[in-house]
Amino acid sequence: DVSALGKALETNTTLKELYLRYNQISDVSALGKALETNTTLKELWLGGNQISDEDKKKLKAHTVIF
């Protein structure tokens, strides 16, 4: 569940890289919210998911790699 993952990432202080490629993710709103406050995560790999171009633009402002 991406929403649960987003909630966990909001308070993450140890995870620096996360690979979520090819997981059929389409709604990334929870991840986007988490990235606004998470300063520890340096790379989030989301390639191969069904993410809209608009959401990709929003996420690229953070640490997301497609």
Side-chain angles (χ1 to χ4, degrees):
D1 183 12
V2 177
S3 60
L5 179 58
K7 190 167 184 97
L9 286 175
E10 287 180 20
T11 57
N12 167 59
T13 58
T14 56
L15 191 64
K16 295 179 183 177
E17 296 178 7
L18 181 58
Y19 295 83
L20 296 174
R21 299 182 71 191
Y22 299 99
N23 280 285
Q24 299 178 349
I25 296 170
S26 58
D27 182 4
V28 292
S29 57
L31 293 176
K33 184 179 178 196
L35 292 174
E36 291 175 7
T37 57
N38 184 310
T39 58
T40 307
L41 191 66
K42 301 301 179 199
E43 293 183 4
L44 175 58
W45 295 76
L46 290 173
N49 289 292
Q50 294 79 32
I51 300 169
S52 71
D53 289 339
E54 183 178 330
D55 284 342
K56 285 179 182 179
K57 287 178 187 176
K58 291 177 188 175
L59 292 173
K60 281 185 179 180
H62 299 287
T63 56
V64 179
I65 300 168
F66 292 99

